[in-house]
Amino acid sequence: MRTNSHPGIVALAVVAILVIGTVGTVISSNKAVPGDALYSVKKAVQGIQFALAPNVVSRANLALSTSQTDLDDIEKVAAGETPNAVNIQTGVNQLVSHTQTAASSISKVSTQPPAANLKRSLNSNVQQSVATLQAPALRAPDSSSSIQTAISQ
């Protein structure tokens, strides 16, 4: 009977398969929208990104970028074959949360040029969000007031 004489190679192969599978899942989750199986993976990855943001400016920029992604996700769900109000609301909740995070992070930026640029970006994001959420195809008029409330806090 022959025993496996290369257990290190087997272990390395198992680790490689796990890493490739994990990386593949994370990459695939980037396209996930509320209601998709990988949406929770996408949110977990975003949470890790926020936790690893080195400073308040990075966190604000990440929150602005993530809120734009949330808005894109909402539009994708609304434009789908069977728009689901629960999934749209999930996206809106994420959008509000990330907008609040952006506003909170921006309020902590003390240096003037970055703060002014971040505030302009936030205002632009909010205006785009409100316009999108009030669009007849989306039918989410209550959501736009949530976004406006988020930045006023």
Side-chain angles (χ1 to χ4, degrees):
M1 216 181 239
R2 185 169 189 235
T3 60
N4 190 349
S5 59
H6 302 290
I9 293 174
V10 172
L12 185 61
V14 169
V15 169
I17 289 169
L18 290 174
V19 168
I20 290 169
T22 301
V23 169
T25 300
V26 168
I27 290 170
S28 296
S29 74
N30 280 335
K31 297 178 183 175
V33 296
D36 288 349
L38 291 177
Y39 188 68
S40 60
V41 174
K42 179 179 182 175
K43 293 290 120 190
V45 169
Q46 288 174 346
I48 292 168
Q49 290 172 328
F50 278 108
L52 296 176
N55 55 50
V56 71
V57 173
S58 296
R59 205 169 4 271
N61 280 315
L62 180 59
L64 288 169
S65 171
T66 305
S67 67
Q68 183 59 51
T69 300
D70 294 333
L71 187 60
D72 295 342
D73 290 349
I74 293 165
E75 289 179 304
K76 288 174 189 172
V77 170
E81 289 181 22
T82 54
N84 180 308
V86 172
N87 294 338
I88 290 172
Q89 189 58 51
T90 298
V92 168
N93 292 344
Q94 289 297 315
L95 175 61
V96 169
S97 174
H98 291 131
T99 302
Q100 288 173 328
T101 299
S104 173
S105 296
I106 290 167
S107 71
K108 296 173 185 169
V109 176
S110 58
T111 52
Q112 196 50 36
N117 292 338
L118 288 167
K119 286 177 184 177
R120 277 193 295 278
S121 294
L122 177 62
N123 287 332
S124 175
N125 276 15
V126 168
Q127 289 172 358
Q128 182 182 6
S129 297
V130 169
T132 300
L133 294 173
Q134 290 178 339
L138 190 56
R139 295 186 196 101
D142 295 338
S143 305
S144 60
S145 62
S146 298
I147 299 296
Q148 291 169 328
T149 302
I151 64 161
S152 66
Q153 293 178 347

